[in-house]
Amino acid sequence: MADFSCPDWFEKLKAGRSPLPDNMPLDQDEARLAVEAFNKLRLPDVPGKPLLRDVAGEWARDFVAAIFGLVEMNDDRTVVIDRKARKFFQLVPKKNSKTTNGAAIMMTAMLRNRRPNAEFLLVGPTQATAERAYEQAEGMVKADPWLRKRFHLREHIKTIEDRTNGAKLRIRSFDNKVMTGAKPVGVLVDELHELGKISYAAKVMTQIEGGIIANAEGFVIIITTQSDEPPCGVFKDELKLARSIRDGEFEDAETLPMLYEFPAEMQADENQPWADPTNWHLVLPNLGKSITVERLSPKYREAKEAGDDKMSIWGSQHLNIEVGIATNRDRWAGVTYWQAAHRKGLTLDRLIEDCDVCVVGIDGGGLDDLMAIAVIGRHKITRTWLHWARAWAHKDVFERRKEIVSRLEDFIAQGDLIRCDAIDQDVTEIADICERLHAAGKLPEKAGIGLDAYGIASLLDALDERGMAGDLVMSVGQGWKLQSAITTLPRKLKDKTMQHCGQDLMKWAVGNAKSELRGSNYIVTKQAAGASKIDPLMATFNAAILMFLNPEASSFNADDWIASYA
């Protein structure tokens, strides 16, 4: 394994170079021969069917050189005995010859292959996606008389077979059976961002990566654009890994990242410097070839006119802008400052230790909704508000809201969402958290636990059973009665007098919220009915209402309380 970090990646983009590390341990002969094979392929869907040598960008050749050059050969150079990288992750915007280059790479693999009866696979989120890459590869064979002699096109089963050694390039659908009986030499996975929305995607990717291990020269190539929704599932995991390798945070990796994107601070800048057409060349490696600024500009102007939500989607697909928090015009004002208010290292344990008083907000709906708790503590010294949240989901949510299952499973893996196995699990565990805060003497004597005026009878009963009823529980009015929290929290986030744990659960909930003016008051509702959950944010508003009362921790003796309760 090698060091594939590239700390100067953005400087390279500004210089028009590929964002790949210098001095990669390439076998120069293998890299050169692969690039020569790649260059001799023809574009099948362009007038004149030009050679890739004449129309492909240097960035594409750099990627080819890395894929085929990061190998170790035997002494007589007839067999690959090991690989220095087994996975290659390329993030590139739409219209940059992504699918065509992917097909050409797999045809290059067929041409450079030494293994008899080797199998190469084209995998996509749908059959149609995989077929597009296959059709490009098939077209490259048809466009060249020599390739037509070497390869047998079995079009009815979407397979290209090498007559010299029996190797095959074929398509596979992305499902749990994709690797059944397969030990491929190479796999191209197209549009991973779409696969991130599939609940079983991580399992299938594990199968794919496990399947190639049988062959010393085995490799997986992932070529994808950014997601048009906040990254989730396997796409989020692979993107995070690629970035950490690129930034030098992950050593001895077997993945080589090639990411065409703007730095995070440039993407988050509220002035949107990424939207300036003079910056687009930084992330469009095929500019002037398959795409031009002039062809992109009309759709950009349409998206800008349609509003921030459309702009966000357009930016994700054409400039690889990550959709993190909603940018719609009617978003809750706190969205803009939420990410910057992250306090690293903050946990519930740390919050309890550092704060003199804590309050709890609770929000929950039906069984197909989330139940959520938010804790806001006041720092003993700085008086800064510190925030932590958790949510619970019953199986009804997973059955009725399938479009968000992958996202929910991410939150479960992070420990911020609990899947309920019993009907009263959420109520019991929320009461446990409240009891912990009470025993630590962090709750005020009055108005320490706030919940919807309608409340949840079972939760009230659970709190009462633990001696936490009466004045300690406060009914918090909803709708316009939350206006003080809705309008004040954005100011506290902006000046960082409120900070949070940086939980993806909250980032998602905050991004799902929109603000509406009703009469003379603002209320917060969901962006879309059903799937757009905001319960953790509503629980936060409930807690904020209690903290506005400037509470003081009770002089309650935890040992005496525990003894009497026992």
Side-chain angles (χ1 to χ4, degrees), residues 320-491:
N320 276 345
I321 301 300
E322 181 174 328
V323 179
I325 292 183
T327 56
N328 50 292
R329 291 183 180 180
D330 56 356
R331 66 191 183 276
W332 173 55
V335 164
T336 305
Y337 312 108
W338 185 265
Q339 287 178 287
H342 175 201
R343 187 184 184 106
K344 292 184 178 180
L346 181 61
T347 62
L348 179 59
D349 290 343
R350 187 62 182 271
L351 185 153
I352 293 173
E353 180 181 348
D354 290 353
C355 294
D356 63 345
V357 66
C358 298
V359 292
V360 174
I362 301 168
D363 183 85
L367 292 177
D368 64 342
D369 218 337
L370 303 184
M371 174 81 87
I373 184 174
V375 178
I376 295 179
R378 190 176 61 208
H379 196 276
K380 295 174 183 176
I381 300 173
T382 66
R383 311 285 283 183
T384 297
W385 291 10
L386 304 181
H387 173 276
W388 172 90
R390 178 170 287 168
W392 288 257
H394 287 273
K395 66 178 182 179
D396 306 62
V397 179
F398 297 88
E399 293 172 354
R400 301 182 190 178
R401 310 298 182 195
K402 295 188 182 298
E403 63 269 39
I404 61 170
V405 166
S406 293
R407 200 174 308 283
L408 297 181
E409 289 179 343
D410 283 347
F411 303 149
I412 290 172
Q414 294 159 3
D416 297 324
L417 178 70
I418 308 298
R419 189 196 306 263
C420 295
D421 297 320
I423 188 66
D424 59 349
Q425 181 178 345
D426 48 0
V427 167
T428 300
E429 294 182 2
I430 286 175
D432 288 344
I433 294 170
C434 293
E435 186 175 15
R436 179 185 175 191
L437 293 166
H438 195 212
K442 297 297 182 178
L443 295 180
E445 292 183 359
K446 296 182 179 181
I449 302 172
L451 61 159
D452 190 324
Y454 292 101
I456 300 169
S458 56
L459 177 58
L460 293 172
D461 290 343
L463 293 172
D464 186 43
E465 289 173 0
R466 301 175 190 227
M468 292 182 290
D471 292 341
L472 183 59
V473 179
M474 175 178 169
S475 173
V476 179
Q478 301 298 290
W480 65 267
K481 295 180 180 180
L482 290 174
Q483 170 144 316
S484 58
I486 293 169
T487 58
T488 303
L489 290 191
R491 297 179 64 87

Side-chain angles (χ1 to χ4, degrees), residues 267-288:
Q267 294 190 43
D269 191 327
E270 61 184 35
N271 294 318
Q272 296 186 340
W274 54 267
D276 183 346
T278 61
N279 288 325
W280 292 355
H281 70 281
L282 299 173
V283 296
L284 299 175
N286 234 43
L287 197 65

Side-chain angles (χ1 to χ4, degrees), residues 7 9-11 14 243 246-247 261-274 321-322 336 339-340:
W9 62 273
F10 192 54
E11 295 304 314
K14 289 191 284 188
R243 286 171 173 165
R246 177 196 64 188
D247 297 339
E261 62 179 356
F262 293 104
E265 60 273 17
M266 195 168 174
Q267 294 190 43
D269 191 327
E270 61 184 35
N271 294 318
Q272 296 186 340
W274 54 267
I321 301 300
E322 181 174 328
T336 305
Q339 287 178 287

Side-chain angles (χ1 to χ4, degrees), residues 489-507:
L489 290 191
R491 297 179 64 87
K492 294 187 69 63
L493 291 165
K494 183 176 183 178
D495 64 17
K496 295 185 176 59
T497 56
M498 176 175 172
Q499 298 176 17
H500 56 80
C501 302
Q503 297 162 291
D504 285 346
L505 171 71
M506 282 302 305
K507 179 180 175 182

